[in-house]
């Protein structure tokens, strides 16, 4: 059997594949769009190289091109690999020539070198960051509300920006979060956070389209606030408030700080999983890195510290130190 797929077959089945995922399989539109971009990128690369038959070797060259020419990281490369693998399996199901023998399962995943433990903002740094925001202007208080919710509830930036006013249950002090994979979760709103949200709703009335737009967070132009704008605004705040103990502070840093501080407070991992909207505890476990505070606590409370303390305070140890200095 031929272990290659013609570029013409690869291209002509793509639209049916995308329609199947949206109309029949009810896949998340954002995920379908991402896969579409990945497959189009692969197809454009092949056509630019005048390749008519897709082989395992050409696929590996594409992976190398992603790393060298586009400087893609391991996560981005693996997502593109996953898009190609799923599509080839679809072609197999439709008995496209060459798809059955195509060695897509042998395509190796990209790996990143170990970068060391991930560090998080300290509680004092979070306070410094939030206090740097202009609390008196409309847009400043909007940003304060947004970034406070990211930290207080451990939200992803996309989750926070997708909140509608109708998602807030003021009677029961709850907010409905639209998470990844269309999974929803309800989180409690503390009194202080609820007060900030209520105050923001008053400020919000001064923005364009506030009376007709459902979005909790509104842009200066009267649209739902975008992730790019939220990221850019935080970058300006960070530059003004810095320096910080971590190299790069992004909206996700506030979610990470929430998880880290919860672990330091000995929060149960299953409770943390539910709050953060993870599908499995494996995702939550990525936050289980010990902070320097916990490392110091563990070392200081270890029996080795007691032994060393007794040794240092003993007359014999003190005598040997003096003898060493005298010699």
């Amino acid at each position: 059997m031929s272990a290659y797929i013609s570029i013409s077959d690869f291209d002509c089945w793509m639209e049916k594949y995308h329609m199947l995922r949206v109309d029949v399989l009810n896949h998340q539109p954002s995920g379908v769009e991402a896969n579409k971009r990945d497959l189009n990128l692969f197809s454009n690369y092949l056509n630019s190289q005048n390749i008519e038959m897709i082989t395992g070797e050409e696929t590996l060259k594409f992976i190398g091109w992603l790393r060298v020419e586009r400087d893609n990281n391991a996560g981005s490369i693996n997502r593109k690999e996953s898009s190609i693998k799923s599509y080839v399996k679809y072609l197999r199901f439709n008995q496209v020539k060459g798809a059955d023998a195509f060695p897509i399962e042998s395509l190796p995943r990209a790996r990143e070198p170990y970068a060391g433990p991930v560090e998080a903002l300290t509680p004092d740094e979070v306070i410094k960051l939030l206090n740097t925001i202009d609390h008196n202007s409309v847009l400043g208080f909007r940003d304060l509300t947004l970034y406070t919710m990211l930290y207080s509830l451990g939200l992803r930036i996309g989750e926070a920006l997708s909140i509608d006013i109708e998602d807030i249950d003021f009677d029961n002090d709850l907010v409905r979060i639209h998470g990844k994979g269309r999974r929803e979760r309800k989180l409690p709103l503390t009194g202080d956070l609820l007060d900030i949200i209520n105050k923001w709703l008053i400020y919000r009335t001064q923005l364009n389209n506030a009376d007709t737009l459902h979005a909790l967070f509104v842009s200066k132009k009267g649209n739902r606030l975008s992730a790019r704008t939220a990221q850019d605004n935080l970058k300006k705040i960070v530059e003004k408030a810095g320096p910080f103990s971590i190299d790069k502070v992004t909206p996700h840093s506030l979610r990470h700080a929430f998880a880290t501080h919860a672990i330091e407070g000995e929060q149960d991992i299953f409770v943390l999983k539910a709050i953060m909207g993870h599908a499995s505890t494996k995702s939550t476990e990525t936050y289980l890195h010990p902070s320097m505070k916990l490392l110091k606590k563990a070392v200081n409370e270890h029996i080795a510290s007691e032994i060393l303390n007794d040794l240092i305070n003993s007359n014999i140890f003190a005598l040997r130190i003096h003898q060493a200095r005298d010699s």
Side-chain angles (χ1 to χ4, degrees):
M1 299 179 68
S2 301
Y4 60 79
I5 303 170
S6 71
I7 186 66
S8 58
D9 282 341
F10 187 89
D11 288 342
C12 79
W13 284 88
M14 268 200 278
E15 192 59 34
K16 292 180 181 179
Y17 173 64
H18 300 316
M19 290 177 62
L20 172 73
R21 296 187 63 200
V22 174
D23 299 336
V24 179
L25 302 179
N26 198 30
H27 285 185
Q28 192 87 324
S30 59
V32 174
E33 284 300 316
N35 293 152
K36 185 183 296 187
R37 289 193 297 270
D38 294 341
L39 294 177
N40 284 337
L41 179 64
F42 186 36
S43 175
N44 291 337
Y45 164 81
L46 295 169
N47 283 294
S48 70
Q49 302 294 315
N50 297 318
I51 296 170
E52 297 182 356
M53 299 297 178
I54 309 172
T55 63
E57 181 183 2
E58 298 300 342
T59 307
L60 284 173
K61 287 180 180 179
F62 171 68
I63 300 303
W65 177 77
L66 291 174
R67 172 69 82 179
V68 176
E69 299 298 329
R70 292 178 63 92
D71 195 28
N72 280 187
N73 59 30
S76 181
I77 291 174
N78 289 332
R79 193 201 69 211
K80 293 177 177 64
E81 286 190 10
S82 179
S83 296
I84 296 171
K85 287 179 179 179
S86 296
Y87 182 53
V88 169
K89 291 177 182 178
Y90 167 79
L91 295 179
R92 287 176 181 172
F93 182 80
N94 286 280
Q95 299 180 330
V96 174
K97 183 179 178 181
D100 191 51
F102 195 83
I104 195 63
E105 286 81 9
S106 300
L107 189 62
R109 291 179 60 81
R111 300 291 182 187
E112 288 283 12
Y114 177 65
V118 180
E119 296 181 332
L121 293 168
T122 67
D124 286 342
E125 287 179 323
V126 174
I127 294 171
K128 181 175 72 169
L129 181 65
L130 297 179
N131 280 339
T132 303
I133 302 172
D134 179 8
H135 296 191
N136 297 315
S137 69
V138 174
L139 298 181
F141 201 85
R142 177 202 64 193
D143 292 345
L144 173 67
T145 306
L146 171 61
Y147 303 134
T148 299
M149 290 186 72
L150 293 183
Y151 174 65
S152 300
L153 299 176
L155 301 180
R156 303 176 179 92
I157 184 62
E159 293 175 338
L161 296 177
S162 67
I163 296 174
D164 291 333
I165 295 176
E166 294 81 3
D167 290 323
I168 303 175
D169 181 352
F170 291 97
D171 293 329
N172 297 298
D173 299 346
L174 297 171
V175 59
R176 180 171 61 239
I177 305 300
H178 306 276
K180 279 187 174 182
R182 297 181 180 176
R183 293 189 298 272
E184 291 187 355
R185 64 189 188 279
K186 289 186 177 182
L187 297 177
L189 296 172
T190 61
D192 290 340
L193 182 55
L194 201 56
D195 288 343
I196 292 176
I197 293 173
N198 278 316
K199 188 174 181 180
W200 158 239
L201 290 175
I202 297 173
Y203 273 109
R204 183 183 176 277
T205 60
Q206 301 179 43
L207 293 175
N208 293 331
N209 301 327
D211 55 340
T212 58
L213 197 66
H214 293 281
L216 176 62
F217 296 108
V218 184
S219 71
K220 185 177 181 179
K221 295 182 179 180
N223 303 310
R224 185 184 293 272
L225 185 65
S226 70
R228 174 58 63 85
T229 300
Q231 291 163 353
D232 290 343
N233 289 348
L234 183 62
K235 184 178 180 180
K236 295 174 184 176
I237 297 167
V238 169
E239 290 173 351
K240 185 177 180 181
F244 292 94
S245 60
I246 61 178
D247 294 333
K248 188 175 182 181
V249 180
T250 68
H252 198 76
S253 300
L254 293 167
R255 172 175 164 88
H256 189 81
F258 167 84
T260 300
H261 301 162
I263 294 298
E264 289 179 354
E266 300 181 355
Q267 181 59 263
D268 182 85
I269 188 173
F270 291 102
V271 174
L272 185 58
K273 167 184 172 293
I275 294 173
M276 302 196 72
H278 289 148
S280 72
T281 54
K282 287 185 178 180
S283 298
T284 315
E285 286 170 1
T286 61
Y287 295 95
L288 298 182
H289 56 83
S291 65
M292 186 56 63
K293 176 182 176 182
L294 289 181
L295 290 174
K296 288 180 178 179
K297 183 174 183 290
V299 171
N300 289 334
E301 293 181 357
H302 195 276
I303 192 172
S305 294
E306 296 182 22
I307 295 173
L308 183 58
N309 184 262
D310 292 341
L311 182 62
I312 290 175
N313 291 328
S314 69
N315 292 329
I316 295 176
F317 190 81
L319 179 62
R320 288 179 178 175
I321 291 177
H322 288 301
Q323 289 175 343
R325 287 176 179 172
D326 292 340
S327 63

